[in-house]
Amino acid sequence: MDNSEAKLLLSAYRPDGQEAQDPRMKEALEQAKCDPELAQWLAEQQTFDRLICDKLSCCCVPKDLKTTILTSRQECLSKPWWNHPYGWALAAVLFVVLGLGIFMRPTSLLKPTLAEYRDDVAQLAGSFIDQGMNLDYTSQEQGQVIDWVIAQKLASRINVSGGIGQSKAFGCRVIDWRGHRLAMVCFKDQQNQVAHLFILNRQILGNLPERQVKEITRIGGLPIATWYDEMNAYVLVGHDPGVRIADFL
Amino acid sequence: MDFSFEQLVEQYYEPLYRFGYSLSQREADAADLTQQTFYRWATKGHQLLDRTKVKTWLFTTLHREFLGSRRRLLKFPEIEVSEVEHELPVVISEIATKLDGDSVMLALQKVDDLYRAPLTLFYLQQHSYQEIAEILDIPIGTVMSRLSRGKQELKKKLHQATQETSAKIIHLSPYQEGQRQGESRG
């Protein structure tokens, strides 16, 4: 590592030394100990950074902002159900009906269905797209992304063929769904269309239809494809309404 | 790890406001962005599966709200390490010492958009470079180069701010003030 590289790294070193144990920083810090010019630069940098931190923490915040935020929240909260005159009666009826329903259903029916999986995942994808999302693993190599999913025991094998096979996987994320872990792998095709493939062990689902057909639909405006193979159940969600989901199949 | 809404507000409304102020450059917009961020949390926060990421979620949301409110796409070109090598700092801590918090914030607001967001997150001392990369959705290497470049630019802006302040002080010195009054009387 040369000094310019060390300086670049140390530019992100916070003045309170929170990153002292960071392996990237350690090497640069060690170098600064041995190099007086770099040590001098770091000391000046730290003084400047500490000063700016102190100055910014003195920057005024409107006095009533906190109260306004807390008040706005109170206004947006709806009246709780237990304050409603019929709330308790309705809850009791629902409890009895659901309880009876659960006890009387065959065990296989207790498992979520493919449609429930698809609908939940579509909703989840919609909120990720609206709110932004973070990926647990990123790589430009599709093979590495798939290997990572398998290493996380999210699937023992993944069949990526057709348009998905031609697309580039760029990252994935682990999702907790109804107490089960599933993988979301993000793909980009040659037209720069982005789609997210959710992969779930098919044993978790009950009542899978006998015919394995790829179904295409729209939920919340987003194009969705659903199918399964002998190992997994897949839901592919287009990142925006304009994505031609069939291109990935 | 779980927080009540009040605890979150208590802990983060000030740094969120300062981040919003640095981005939007207007106090009212910063207050709106902060409020909108907590409103999002109140309505959609339950969807966050990893509760250790609350802080990152809040700052990411504010940043997205800001980008959305500007209604224009920001393009962030990548900066190579070699580009910043020759520009690493000249110490001007003594300059910054002369300025108050609001003046430093004003100087920060004059820094190019590209560098301002990572720089503010860094100086709010709430975020590691990995978290900044996550919030702004940019690679770690880019965070480092933007911090390096941003600090350089901030120093220039602080230097300008100090010069402007000195100019004002000179203009209002008793000698000049007396002269001005004399001139107006004469």
Side-chain angles (χ1 to χ4, degrees):
Chain A
M1 182 188 296
D2 61 18
N3 270 11
S4 58
E5 203 181 333
K7 283 178 179 178
L8 189 75
L9 278 168
L10 293 170
S11 293
Y13 184 64
R14 283 184 285 180
D16 287 353
Q18 290 99 320
E19 280 88 18
Q21 296 309 312
D22 183 314
R24 284 167 191 261
M25 294 291 176
K26 259 187 176 175
E27 196 186 338
L29 289 168
E30 284 300 319
Q31 193 163 324
K33 280 182 193 165
C34 309
D35 183 330
E37 186 261 327
L38 186 61
Q40 167 76 13
W41 176 89
L42 179 61
E44 288 170 356
Q45 183 84 5
Q46 293 262 284
T47 309
F48 177 75
D49 288 344
R50 207 169 290 120
L51 192 69
I52 300 297
C53 286
D54 292 347
K55 295 282 181 184
L56 284 184
S57 66
C58 303
C59 174
C60 304
V61 174
K63 283 179 188 165
D64 57 350
L65 180 60
K66 186 177 160 189
T67 319
T68 313
I69 294 167
L70 293 173
T71 315
S72 316
R73 196 239 179 175
Q74 290 301 320
E75 286 166 5
C76 83
L77 284 178
S78 57
K79 197 176 174 183
W81 64 269
W82 55 86
N83 283 354
H84 195 278
Y86 301 111
W88 283 103
L90 193 64
V93 171
L94 277 175
F95 181 77
V96 171
V97 169
L98 284 175
L100 282 174
I102 286 167
F103 282 116
M104 291 170 74
R105 279 172 82 184
T107 319
S108 65
L109 291 179
L110 291 174
K111 290 181 171 181
T113 63
L114 184 63
E116 286 172 325
Y117 166 49
R118 179 199 62 200
D119 293 352
D120 285 4
V121 154
Q123 198 183 359
L124 193 65
S127 69
F128 280 160
I129 292 163
D130 286 346
Q131 293 291 309
M133 59 183 153
N134 300 309
L135 297 173
D136 294 321
Y137 179 78
T138 53
S139 167
Q140 296 300 312
E141 294 297 324
Q142 174 156 306
Q144 287 180 358
V145 175
I146 302 293
D147 287 349
W148 189 86
V149 170
I150 292 169
Q152 298 298 310
K153 297 189 168 60
L154 296 164
S156 53
R157 189 161 56 80
I158 300 170
N159 178 16
V160 279
S161 55
I164 295 179
Q166 307 295 317
S167 304
K168 199 172 181 181
F170 59 89
C172 59
R173 175 180 172 141
V174 183
I175 311 277
D176 189 8
W177 176 70
R178 299 193 184 192
H180 305 287
R181 291 166 79 236
L182 62 96
M184 179 186 77
V185 182
C186 306
F187 289 91
K188 187 183 273 187
D189 75 0
Q190 287 167 349
Q191 281 77 47
N192 280 334
Q193 299 187 107
V194 173
H196 310 290
L197 180 65
F198 293 81
I199 305 161
L200 176 71
N201 182 341
R202 64 170 280 170
Q203 301 297 326
I204 289 163
L205 301 177
N207 283 341
L208 281 175
E210 286 188 9
R211 288 184 60 213
Q212 297 186 23
V213 206
K214 288 182 178 172
E215 285 181 3
I216 297 182
T217 182
R218 276 186 183 271
I219 297 176
L222 295 175
I224 314 267
T226 317
W227 73 98
Y228 57 93
D229 59 19
E230 63 278 11
M231 302 296 295
N232 306 307
Y234 303 92
V235 176
L236 183 68
V237 184
H239 190 78
D240 62 70
V243 170
R244 295 180 303 276
I245 206 77
D247 291 355
F248 287 91
L249 302 179
Chain B
M1 190 189 294
D2 225 337
F3 306 94
S4 72
F5 185 81
E6 287 75 12
Q7 282 171 320
L8 276 185
V9 173
E10 180 67 42
Q11 197 169 348
Y12 295 118
Y13 87 100
E14 288 189 351
L16 279 168
Y17 171 83
R18 288 182 183 124
F19 182 43
Y21 187 34
S22 139
L23 295 173
S24 67
Q25 312 182 8
R26 290 189 60 220
E27 290 177 10
D29 289 347
D32 284 352
L33 285 168
T34 312
Q35 262 184 269
Q36 186 63 17
T37 301
F38 282 111
Y39 175 78
R40 290 258 182 225
W41 175 259
T43 53
K44 294 192 170 176
H46 63 277
Q47 292 170 356
L48 181 70
L49 303 173
D50 184 353
R51 310 301 280 186
T52 60
K53 301 239 172 181
V54 171
K55 182 181 75 177
T56 309
W57 189 97
L58 290 170
F59 281 86
T60 305
T61 303
L62 189 141
H63 187 239
R64 284 176 190 278
E65 287 290 330
F66 167 71
L67 293 181
S69 69
R70 285 211 311 185
R71 295 176 190 281
R72 71 179 173 88
L73 188 66
L74 291 174
K75 289 192 174 178
F76 295 135
E78 299 301 313
I79 299 158
E80 295 300 323
V81 175
S82 56
E83 287 180 51
V84 292
E85 276 176 16
H86 61 286
E87 289 191 48
L88 289 161
V90 175
V91 181
I92 55 157
S93 299
E94 63 274 15
I95 291 174
T97 315
K98 294 174 189 166
L99 299 167
D100 62 12
D102 289 332
S103 307
V104 172
M105 177 58 95
L106 282 175
L108 187 59
Q109 287 173 347
K110 288 178 186 164
V111 170
D112 191 285
D113 286 359
L114 193 64
Y115 312 122
R116 197 164 66 235
L119 211 52
T120 312
L121 290 168
F122 177 82
Y123 283 129
L124 288 173
Q125 269 199 295
Q126 302 262 342
H127 306 279
S128 66
Y129 63 89
Q130 293 99 328
E131 287 171 331
I132 297 173
E134 215 171 301
I135 291 168
L136 303 178
D137 197 19
I138 53 177
I140 283 172
T142 309
V143 171
M144 288 172 170
S145 52
R146 283 184 191 171
L147 284 176
S148 178
R149 266 281 172 94
K151 285 180 189 181
Q152 199 67 33
E153 206 178 312
L154 177 62
K155 285 173 185 174
K156 283 182 197 160
K157 302 294 177 195
L158 286 169
H159 184 65
Q160 285 168 6
T162 323
Q163 282 182 326
E164 283 163 17
T165 312
S166 312
K168 280 178 197 165
I169 292 166
I170 291 164
H171 180 68
L172 296 172
S173 66
Y175 172 75
Q176 286 204 330
E177 197 68 11
Q179 266 198 329
R180 278 174 56 204
Q181 281 168 10
E183 280 166 14
S184 62
R185 275 197 299 270

